[in-house]
Amino acid sequence: MSMQEPDAPGLPRPDVPGIPRPDAPGPETPEKKLRPARTNVTKQRLFDASMELIGERGAAGVTVDEIAAAAGVSKGTVYYNFGSKSDLIAQLLRHGVDIMLGRLQTIEGLHADPLEAMEAMLGQAMDFMDDYPSFARLWISENWRSPSEWGKLFVELRSELLAVIGAAIEKVAATYTVDTGIARGSLEAAMFGAIFVVGLDRQTYNPERTREQSIAAIMTIMRGYVLR
């Protein structure tokens, strides 16, 4: 009776019915299934901690050690998830704008009157400012810093937000008689700036002002654009 020779080093073992190959992938363990969820939770904690610290003190005034401590993770975890503080801030900006864009776009198709749609969009913007005040402060503090490490990113993100505002203004112009002497780009910028300035002013200096009062103040820009 001959004995089977052992597998040669470096060569795959022949398939044997009922015996799993040692190099075959095994069943996914619970730990592996949970790993992406744990990673997402950790990243969200880092987002929240970074947003708060950087929004309060500016990007230059916050260290990775402080972000890690605030999030309750190690410094290495910050680098593992984001690579560097610069990359972290870039992702913070992208994350915040994605949330804001999503909210602004939720009113699409809900209002027949484009002025009412604009008012609803401003309401979404004010709610975003209330929910993410640190992001608004981060945007204001870093956007106009010159030179800016994230200058190209700000241009990209700003253009995305302006495009949504511009599309809403275009619908107003298609429905109402408007002042054509007002440059459309300047009007978009005025609305965009007012959202951040009025939202932050209410939070920081005038918390007694209502959401509706803030919206009405910004809407005066649009109502001045429409000729009655």
Side-chain angles (χ1 to χ4, degrees), residues 7-141:
D7 299 333
L11 296 178
R13 173 181 170 177
D15 293 329
V16 179
I19 302 177
R21 292 167 55 94
D23 55 337
E28 190 173 20
T29 63
E31 289 77 16
K32 288 183 180 179
K33 289 182 179 178
L34 291 174
R35 190 169 298 156
R38 291 203 305 268
T39 300
N40 290 338
V41 170
T42 299
K43 185 168 285 191
Q44 187 61 51
R45 286 166 61 189
L46 287 167
F47 270 128
D48 293 341
S50 303
M51 194 86 77
E52 189 65 29
L53 290 172
I54 295 171
E56 289 176 355
R57 288 153 45 192
V62 177
T63 67
V64 172
D65 285 331
E66 290 172 319
I67 292 170
V73 301
S74 68
K75 183 177 179 179
T77 300
V78 179
Y79 287 117
Y80 175 80
N81 280 274
F82 297 102
S84 67
K85 189 175 85 169
S86 178
D87 290 339
L88 183 151
I89 293 170
Q91 291 193 46
L92 278 177
L93 294 168
R94 175 77 267 175
H95 183 64
V97 168
D98 283 345
I99 294 173
M100 189 173 185
L101 284 171
R103 293 196 179 191
L104 296 182
Q105 292 166 345
T106 58
I107 57 91
E108 184 70 30
L110 297 181
H111 302 272
D113 186 336
L115 282 177
E116 291 181 3
M118 177 69 77
E119 194 167 347
M121 190 174 74
L122 292 176
Q124 290 291 336
M126 290 300 103
D127 291 343
F128 173 85
M129 294 294 167
D130 288 343
D131 292 340
Y132 298 93
S134 294
F135 176 82
R137 288 193 290 270
L138 170 62
W139 182 277
I140 292 292
S141 66

Side-chain angles (χ1 to χ4, degrees), residues 95-214:
H95 183 64
V97 168
D98 283 345
I99 294 173
M100 189 173 185
L101 284 171
R103 293 196 179 191
L104 296 182
Q105 292 166 345
T106 58
I107 57 91
E108 184 70 30
L110 297 181
H111 302 272
D113 186 336
L115 282 177
E116 291 181 3
M118 177 69 77
E119 194 167 347
M121 190 174 74
L122 292 176
Q124 290 291 336
M126 290 300 103
D127 291 343
F128 173 85
M129 294 294 167
D130 288 343
D131 292 340
Y132 298 93
S134 294
F135 176 82
R137 288 193 290 270
L138 170 62
W139 182 277
I140 292 292
S141 66
E142 298 298 330
N143 193 25
W144 284 278
R145 189 185 301 276
S146 182
S148 172
E149 185 175 354
W150 305 278
K152 290 183 179 179
L153 178 61
F154 273 119
V155 170
E156 176 186 338
L157 298 179
R158 180 178 179 274
S159 67
E160 292 178 18
L161 290 168
L162 286 176
V164 175
I165 296 172
I169 293 174
E170 181 64 34
K171 291 179 181 178
V172 171
T175 304
Y176 293 92
T177 301
V178 297
D179 186 349
T180 56
I182 297 177
R184 187 69 60 81
S186 295
L187 183 59
E188 293 172 6
M191 295 291 291
F192 177 74
I195 288 170
F196 278 90
V197 172
V198 172
L200 279 178
D201 182 77
R202 172 172 164 244
Q203 293 168 10
T204 307
Y205 300 110
N206 298 283
E208 75 283 356
R209 289 181 187 162
T210 66
R211 171 183 182 273
E212 288 66 31
Q213 287 174 325
S214 298

Side-chain angles (χ1 to χ4, degrees), residues 176-180 222-228:
Y176 293 92
T177 301
V178 297
D179 186 349
T180 56
M222 285 306 301
R223 299 196 186 282
Y225 178 56
V226 174
L227 299 176
R228 298 292 184 177

